[in-house]
């Protein structure tokens, strides 16, 4: 029986390995859904301006960026950039206080004057909340075979515009914009499937204890499982998109309205943007017949990476027909894992602790720098390459990282070539 090559996104998979690979509609997009996908594309590209305006009003008064595309360039990862330069701030800064009364259960406590996200841009006549600047600290290391490597970690300086001092106990977390393709498929994975992958007490003794986050769902005003965002801190694409409009661009929506109940982005436009992210295609893998890639894939599994980066998931029923009932290969379990002190931000998010991060999908990983050169890896963009991202793994992934370090140079190259083929 002939071997059927894995299709990363099931029937949504697109055979495109160019810089536009993340921008293609699902290969199985139905003719009736072509129009809403295009409407969503327009919503995603819409540049907002201060009110009053006949087109896209409502930006600010304080914000980080003025469109979805500004952070998710070509739908890929963002740049680890901050400040008023041409790139503006893409590396967002979430802040909170360790104690206090949140607005809802599992919520974060806002910082006076800054809220929960530092907005460093403002409309004419308004004042940004603070200025941000970013620097890097270099770290050198060495493999057991003597090969050397260099890592870097970020240092962020926040200066409130009003001259006030930051609370000494303020918690801070950097968040790089992640890719936006394949999200509909991940939303279509039944929660029962993800629950079946949980092992919070590590009963099987493999050192891996993934669990789902528990977050506040605004629409139902209840605590529900989270699956989107670096800490699985959003339960649905609708809420994640509305949060981005509100926190990144200062735009109100039906989920996050003005005090009087009005809003600047209609429910239809919000839904268009959501549908766009749900109906994008997933790039196909490449070099499936390459012997080095195949060797790297075997090493990836032997190292135990697949315990968190689950190769295969099945989707279930979903309102978007194209993403329903698909066999997909995202290389994620969508669960939280302790990633150790070196990657810890120390800031809880929902039920996630300060050392826990959601396993990010790896599909399309090899196209990251094809889509946007110099974009970063990991939650804060500190890793300049896939190799650096592996070397930052700790906590539950420490054994896998150490196993990678003990491989020969050829074997490490094979693992990296496999990951580059995704």
């Amino acid at each position: 029986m002939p071997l059927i090559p894995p299709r990363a996104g099931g029937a949504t998979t697109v055979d495109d390995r160019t810089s536009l690979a993340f921008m293609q509609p699902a290969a199985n997009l139905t003719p009736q859904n072509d129009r809403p996908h295009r409407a969503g594309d327009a919503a995603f590209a819409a540049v907002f301006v201060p009110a009053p305006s006949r087109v896209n009003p409502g930006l600010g008064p304080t914000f980080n960026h003025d469109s979805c595309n500004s952070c998710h360039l070509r739908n890929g990862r963002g740049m680890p950039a901050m400040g008023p330069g041409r790139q503006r701030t893409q590396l967002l800064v979430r802040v909170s206080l360790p104690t206090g009364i949140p607005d809802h259960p599992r919520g974060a406590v806002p910082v006076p004057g800054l809220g929960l996200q530092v907005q460093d841009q403002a409309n004419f006549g308004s004042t940004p909340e603070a200025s941000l600047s970013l620097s890097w600290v270099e770290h050198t290391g060495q493999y057991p075979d003597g090969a050397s490597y260099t890592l870097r970690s970020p240092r962020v300086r926040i200066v409130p515009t009003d001259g006030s001092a930051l609370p000494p106990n303020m918690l801070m977390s950097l968040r790089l914009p992640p890719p936006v393709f394949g999200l509909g498929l991940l939303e279509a994975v039944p929660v029962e499937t993800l629950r079946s992958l949980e092992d919070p007490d590590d009963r099987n003794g493999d050192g891996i204890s993934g669990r789902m986050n528990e977050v506040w769902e605004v629409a139902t005003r209840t605590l529900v499982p989270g699956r989107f965002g670096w800490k699985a801190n959003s339960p649905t694409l609708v809420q994640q998109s509305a949060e981005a409009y509100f926190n990144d661009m200062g735009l109100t929506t039906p989920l996050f309205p003005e005090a009087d109940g009005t809003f600047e982005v209609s429910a239809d436009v919000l839904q268009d943007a959501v549908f766009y992210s749900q109906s994008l295609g997933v790039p196909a893998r490449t070099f499936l017949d390459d012997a080095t890639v195949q060797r790297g894939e075997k090493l990836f599994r032997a190292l135990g990476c697949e315990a968190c980066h689950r190769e295969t998931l099945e989707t279930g029923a979903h309102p978007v027909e194209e993403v329903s009932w698909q066999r997909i290969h995202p290389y994620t379990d969508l669960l939280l894992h302790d990633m150790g002190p070196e990657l810890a931000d120390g800031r809880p998010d929902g039920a996630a602790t300060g050392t826990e991060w959601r396993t990010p999908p790896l599909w399309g990983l090899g196209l990251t720098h094809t889509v946007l050169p110099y974009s970063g890896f990991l939650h804060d963009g500190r890793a300049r390459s896939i190799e650096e991202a592996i070397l930052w793994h700790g906590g539950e992934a420490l054994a896998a990282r150490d196993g990678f370090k003990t491989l020969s140079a050829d074997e490490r190259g094979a693992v990296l070539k496999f990951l580059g083929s995704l």
Side-chain angles (χ1 to χ4, degrees), residues 173-258:
S173 182
L174 306 184
R175 305 290 173 89
L176 192 74
V180 297
F181 66 85
L183 299 183
L185 292 164
L186 298 180
E187 192 171 52
V189 177
V191 69
E192 294 79 10
T193 298
L194 303 180
R195 289 292 189 201
S196 73
L197 301 176
E198 289 183 303
D199 187 15
D201 300 319
D202 191 22
R203 291 184 176 178
N204 64 5
D206 67 351
I208 306 299
S209 56
R211 66 190 181 104
M212 296 199 77
N213 200 349
E214 185 180 59
V215 300
W216 184 251
E217 186 175 53
V218 175
T220 61
R221 299 187 62 76
T222 58
L223 290 171
V224 299
R227 66 174 70 191
F228 296 108
W230 287 105
K231 281 184 179 277
N233 44 291
S234 287
T236 63
L237 291 174
V238 170
Q239 181 165 321
Q240 188 184 44
S241 300
E243 289 169 338
Y245 276 120
F246 187 72
N247 293 320
D248 302 351
M249 294 181 271
L251 293 159
T252 52
T253 63
L255 276 186
F256 298 96
E258 305 282 355

Side-chain angles (χ1 to χ4, degrees), residues 64-78:
N64 295 115
H65 252 300
D66 54 11
S67 73
C68 303
N69 273 351
S70 296
C71 286
H72 302 282
L73 298 169
R74 295 178 179 171
N75 294 342
R77 294 166 194 267

Side-chain angles (χ1 to χ4, degrees), residues 143-144 149 151 206-209 302-309 337-343 355 389-407:
Y143 288 103
Y149 58 80
L151 305 177
D206 67 351
I208 306 299
S209 56
L303 290 170
C305 308
E306 214 264 342
C308 300
H309 290 286
H337 296 277
D338 183 342
M339 293 301 291
E342 291 181 316
L343 286 179
T355 62
I390 294 172
L391 293 171
W392 274 112
H393 280 51
E396 297 175 35
L398 185 62
R401 182 195 70 180
D402 288 347
F404 174 79
K405 293 175 72 173
T406 59
L407 297 176

Side-chain angles (χ1 to χ4, degrees), residues 288-411:
L288 286 164
D289 297 329
D290 184 280
T292 305
V293 169
Q294 293 173 350
R295 183 186 184 202
E297 184 170 9
K298 290 178 181 176
L299 288 168
F300 178 85
R301 291 170 179 160
L303 290 170
C305 308
E306 214 264 342
C308 300
H309 290 286
R310 295 272 181 169
E311 176 181 349
T312 304
L313 294 173
E314 307 272 354
T315 70
H318 190 275
V320 178
E321 175 186 347
E322 290 84 345
V323 302
S324 300
W325 311 111
Q326 298 296 319
R327 181 178 176 81
I328 61 176
H329 306 283
Y331 291 90
T332 178
D333 57 8
L334 297 178
L335 302 181
L336 297 171
H337 296 277
D338 183 342
M339 293 301 291
E342 291 181 316
L343 286 179
D345 63 0
R347 180 179 182 270
D349 203 333
T353 69
T355 62
E356 288 181 317
W357 298 96
R358 187 203 68 166
T359 308
L362 299 183
W363 51 16
L365 189 67
L367 286 166
T368 299
H369 287 162
T370 302
V371 171
L372 182 63
Y374 308 111
S375 52
F377 299 92
L378 298 177
H379 66 279
D380 54 13
R382 67 176 65 194
R384 292 160 288 196
S385 66
I386 298 171
E387 181 180 13
E388 288 188 20
I390 294 172
L391 293 171
W392 274 112
H393 280 51
E396 297 175 35
L398 185 62
R401 182 195 70 180
D402 288 347
F404 174 79
K405 293 175 72 173
T406 59
L407 297 176
S408 69
D410 284 348
E411 290 171 328

Side-chain angles (χ1 to χ4, degrees), residues 148-163:
S148 61
Y149 58 80
T150 302
L151 305 177
R152 66 175 186 177
S153 57
R155 296 291 182 273
V156 174
R157 185 166 185 256
I158 305 172
V159 180
T161 307
D162 64 4

